[in-house]
Amino acid sequence: MPAENVPTSSQSDGRWRVVNVPSGSNAKSVAILNGGTATAITYGLTSDGYNHTVSQATAEDKRLTLLQDLSRPGKITETLELTAVASSDATSADQVLLALSLSGAETQFTTRRAVANDATFATGQKADVLTGIVGVRRANAPTENGVDTASYTVYLTKPTDRQATLVA
């Protein structure tokens, strides 16, 4: 028996849901997330196609003759790279992202983890909301025994709402 508590883990297979929500809509609203204006794109992305990276700079705090340099957390830098299975299906992640890319419109991505993909959104669940503009579609090189894919950079235009609580 361990000397301390062993926290439970959450399997990621089948337990993510990424939904595109038009700008101006409440991307934390269960009514909108389960409604007709939100588009689920989870399974249109490749297995490595959701690459949200977060880094934080260090604000140096050097003091006269102090032997140790001090520091504080600095600015946060985030990037979001999406890779979609190439598809001509109008509701596919590729076509949704392509349309957003061509429009230049700001959009939102709500990402829920640790809940079955097929479960409807419910109040009290947690999700991240990323807001940005989708950049140009970049067709990727073909791979042996693979499918065609395309990548998009999402340029974040607002601070990410981390672990936001979903509301009615």
Side-chain angles (χ1 to χ4, degrees), residues 73-151:
K75 288 189 175 186
I76 296 170
T77 300
E78 292 187 61
T79 60
L80 179 58
E81 291 285 332
L82 301 175
T83 302
V85 174
S87 175
S88 59
D89 180 339
T91 61
S92 70
D94 187 30
Q95 291 302 307
V96 168
L97 294 169
L98 177 59
L100 289 165
S101 171
L102 294 173
S103 75
E106 187 176 72
T107 192
Q108 303 170 96
F109 296 95
T110 300
T111 304
R112 179 187 71 184
R113 298 169 182 82
V115 177
N117 174 278
D118 62 354
T120 59
F121 287 95
T123 58
Q125 291 176 343
K126 300 289 186 183
D128 292 341
V129 178
L130 291 89
T131 303
I133 297 170
V134 178
V136 67
R137 181 183 194 270
R138 302 179 316 271
N140 296 320
T143 59
E144 186 173 343
N145 296 317
V147 298
D148 289 330
T149 61
S151 294

Side-chain angles (χ1 to χ4, degrees), residues 2 5 12 24 29 44 49-53 59-60 73 80 90 93 96 98 113 118 127 131 136 149 152 156 159 167:
N5 181 40
S12 58
S29 165
Y50 185 91
N51 190 6
H52 177 213
T53 59
E60 294 181 355
L80 179 58
V96 168
L98 177 59
R113 298 169 182 82
D118 62 354
T131 303
V136 67
T149 61
Y152 300 85
L156 300 180
V167 298

Side-chain angles (χ1 to χ4, degrees), residues 11-109:
Q11 183 177 358
S12 58
D13 291 343
R15 297 174 59 80
W16 272 54
R17 189 164 177 92
V18 180
V19 176
N20 176 247
V21 178
S23 187
S25 298
N26 182 355
K28 296 181 277 187
S29 165
V30 170
I32 289 171
L33 292 167
N34 292 327
T37 59
T39 306
I41 63 170
T42 316
Y43 292 149
L45 301 175
T46 63
S47 61
D48 62 350
Y50 185 91
N51 190 6
H52 177 213
T53 59
V54 181
S55 63
Q56 190 165 25
T58 300
E60 294 181 355
D61 184 2
K62 296 177 184 277
R63 307 294 175 97
L64 182 65
T65 74
L66 187 62
L67 293 176
Q68 180 179 346
D69 286 341
L70 305 177
S71 62
R72 294 183 178 271
K75 288 189 175 186
I76 296 170
T77 300
E78 292 187 61
T79 60
L80 179 58
E81 291 285 332
L82 301 175
T83 302
V85 174
S87 175
S88 59
D89 180 339
T91 61
S92 70
D94 187 30
Q95 291 302 307
V96 168
L97 294 169
L98 177 59
L100 289 165
S101 171
L102 294 173
S103 75
E106 187 176 72
T107 192
Q108 303 170 96
F109 296 95

